[in-house]
Amino acid sequence: MWLVEDDDTYIYMLGTMHALPRGTDWDDGKVAGAIAAADELVLELPPEELVAAGAIFQALAPRSAPLAMDKRLPADALARYRALEASGGDFGGDKLDDWAVMVLMGQRVAQNAELMPSKGVEAGLTATFEAAGKPVGGLETAREQLMLFETLDPQTQRVLLTRAAAKADKAVQDVDALTAAWTRGDIAALEKLINEDIDVVPAARAAIITDRNRRWAAWIKQRMAQPGTVMLAVGAGHMVGSDGVPAMLEAEGIKVTRVQ
């Protein structure tokens, strides 16, 4: 967690895990103090948009014409894809865009790793702020977020899908390592784990990470003109690295302090 502040505005920036194992402790220490002090919560998606995301995914995900997965993936990646699929049921990938198949694979990996969105940071924060009668807002809409993937060029989508399938046999292990690094606050390990795949696909990195971080940093700068205390909670991948939100703010001369 980081803090940006001036005389009358405090913005706590919490890097989150969207899904966590049951029993994970994350809301103690200075995080608890920041939650109590904040007047409002701002997430990537506000609750109403999160509810709408499933229907929007179903509308955007289908291909214009089916394409068999064995026409998309090399043999070794296809075998690992099929093994992941067999762990919980058919993805229906032949009828879906590459990006949508990759999203479903990620959800399956989270299930296999026993990570639950209901135990994730955003779910916990939303329940706490709503119970306290404090507003919960968001930086994006569900359509905007999913269109980041939908509008990736076909070659980029195929590279992302192929890399995800090729590593599917180790995906639970990777997710466990990511969760462990986040739990202990290991920024260097987080950056390595989060960036090692997406760094080799520049178009995806720009759309999914860098451009969004730039927009969010601009939002923070603008919000600093309004008094109050804000809890801003977004995925931990947006908080680390040279193009993370804290680094972008610091590059513009804004003091950012890591507080937990």
Side-chain angles (χ1 to χ4, degrees):
M1 184 172 70
W2 291 258
L3 173 64
V4 181
E5 62 181 310
D6 60 20
D7 291 341
D8 57 6
T9 307
Y10 302 84
I11 299 181
Y12 290 95
M13 303 184 299
L14 179 63
T16 71
M17 291 287 288
H18 303 317
L20 286 167
R22 187 184 304 275
T24 304
D25 293 325
W26 57 267
D27 55 351
D28 54 6
K30 292 183 179 179
V31 171
I35 292 171
D39 307 310
E40 63 177 303
L41 172 64
V42 177
L43 307 170
E44 294 181 34
L45 295 179
E48 64 274 14
E49 289 293 329
L50 189 61
V51 170
I56 296 171
F57 176 86
Q58 293 297 328
L60 294 176
R63 291 179 55 86
S64 56
L67 179 63
M69 295 303 298
D70 60 11
K71 301 295 185 183
R72 305 191 213 185
L73 296 173
D76 57 343
L78 180 65
R80 295 185 177 102
Y81 167 83
R82 293 298 187 201
L84 178 63
E85 188 175 47
S87 71
D90 188 0
F91 291 132
D94 293 0
K95 297 180 180 180
L96 303 177
D97 287 335
D98 287 1
W99 71 267
V101 178
M102 188 176 62
V103 168
L104 294 179
M105 290 173 64
Q107 292 176 348
R108 180 68 53 78
V109 169
Q111 288 178 343
N112 291 350
E114 299 184 343
L115 304 183
M116 294 172 283
S118 63
K119 302 301 179 183
V121 174
E122 285 84 354
L125 287 173
T126 297
T128 298
F129 276 75
E130 288 183 340
K134 298 178 181 180
V136 180
L139 297 167
E140 298 173 335
T141 67
R143 178 169 291 276
E144 287 171 343
Q145 197 170 87
L146 290 172
M147 285 298 291
L148 295 171
F149 295 92
E150 172 77 358
T151 55
L152 289 173
D153 66 272
Q155 181 179 1
T156 296
Q157 290 191 39
R158 186 63 49 83
V159 170
L160 288 173
L161 174 62
T162 302
R163 291 181 66 84
K167 297 182 66 176
D169 59 331
K170 298 180 179 178
V172 168
Q173 178 182 337
D174 290 343
V175 167
D176 287 343
L178 179 66
T179 303
W182 178 83
T183 301
R184 65 178 184 267
D186 188 338
I187 297 298
L190 276 173
E191 183 177 357
K192 181 178 185 299
L193 289 164
I194 290 167
N195 293 339
E196 61 184 356
D197 277 336
I198 202 166
D199 275 352
V200 301
V201 193
R205 179 169 190 85
I208 298 168
I209 302 291
T210 308
D211 291 348
R212 295 167 78 199
N213 290 355
R214 190 173 292 114
R215 290 193 292 270
W216 297 351
W219 181 91
I220 291 167
K221 287 176 61 181
Q222 183 176 22
R223 181 60 182 77
M224 291 299 294
Q226 179 182 342
T229 301
V230 179
M231 169 64 75
L232 174 68
V234 299
H238 297 282
M239 293 287 109
V240 300
S242 60
D243 62 354
V245 175
M248 285 186 174
L249 292 170
E250 288 178 330
E252 296 196 35
I254 297 172
K255 182 181 178 182
V256 181
T257 304
R258 185 177 176 187
V259 295
Q260 181 161 319

